[in-house]
Amino acid sequence: MKRKYLMLIFISIVVVIVDQITKIMVTDRFRLGDSVEVIAGFFSLTYVRNTGAAFGMLNSWDPAYRIPFFISVPIIALVAILFVFRKVSDKDFLLSTALSLVVGGAAGNLIDRVRLNYVIDFFDFYWGVNGPHFAVFNVADAAISVGVFFLIIDIFKKDKTTGQANASDTD
């Protein structure tokens, strides 16, 4: 089996397992809305249920539309990512890692959507006692974010390489 597929399987499974274990730990130890400050004025563990998308967007949609939407969109995205993944070079470690993180994160949140009709979130970052809060998120969301960050780095890295190759072609 090609290295990129081993990476996809390993990284995705690790993300899903860590995501689901941390969500189980939160639901076993917290009641909805409970919060424990970990770093004063900066970080808490706060149990929330997100029925919407990132930052709670679309959570006011009628559940008859919202639930099928939030189950079908990740499935479509996963199929699209796996289709793209087939074309990734086995030597492209950064892109393989990026896509594997996104797949694992999407799968972790999809499990919640199918099982619960919402996503369990708990990482709560903020600035100061009464300061602004970043959206509460989970391990799957973090994996998706890191994966997208790696994708951006990969794009710039390849664009710079392509640009240098194109510049040398004009000499």
Side-chain angles (χ1 to χ4, degrees):
M1 182 180 283
K2 290 186 175 186
R3 185 179 83 161
K4 70 178 182 180
Y5 292 114
L6 293 174
M7 285 180 58
L8 174 67
I9 292 166
F10 178 76
I11 291 171
S12 298
I13 289 174
V14 167
V15 168
V16 169
I17 289 171
V18 172
D19 177 64
Q20 292 299 303
I21 287 172
T22 56
K23 289 172 179 174
I24 290 167
M25 290 171 64
V26 167
T27 58
D28 284 351
R29 290 172 174 81
F30 289 76
R31 287 180 300 172
L32 184 61
D34 281 354
S35 186
V36 173
E37 190 170 62
V38 177
I39 301 173
F42 183 69
F43 173 64
S44 294
L45 294 174
T46 304
Y47 175 22
V48 299
R49 295 176 180 167
N50 184 358
T51 58
F55 309 106
M57 293 184 307
L58 309 178
N59 68 3
S60 62
W61 274 17
D62 180 340
Y65 302 108
R66 184 185 69 236
I67 293 168
F69 177 79
F70 283 125
I71 290 174
S72 61
V73 167
I75 291 171
I76 293 166
L78 285 168
V79 169
I81 291 168
L82 293 174
F83 181 76
V84 168
F85 196 85
R86 293 178 338 143
K87 299 185 184 297
V88 173
S89 167
D90 195 46
K91 296 175 184 171
D92 198 337
F93 178 78
L94 185 60
L95 185 55
S96 295
T97 301
L99 294 174
S100 299
L101 286 167
V102 173
V103 165
N109 281 339
L110 180 61
I111 290 168
D112 283 11
R113 296 272 183 206
V114 168
R115 211 169 53 90
L116 306 167
N117 292 329
Y118 57 83
V119 173
I120 297 167
D121 289 330
F122 50 90
F123 291 134
D124 183 13
F125 287 90
Y126 49 93
W127 191 258
V129 177
N130 294 318
H133 280 250
F134 187 74
V136 181
F137 62 99
N138 58 44
V139 171
D141 298 331
I144 292 168
S145 297
V146 171
V148 169
F149 179 72
F150 286 172
L151 282 171
I152 292 168
I153 290 172
D154 187 66
I155 289 167
F156 282 118
K157 185 180 92 173
K158 287 181 178 155
D159 186 46
K160 185 176 180 181
T161 304
T162 304
Q164 288 173 344
N166 290 340
S168 66
D169 288 345
T170 60
D171 291 338

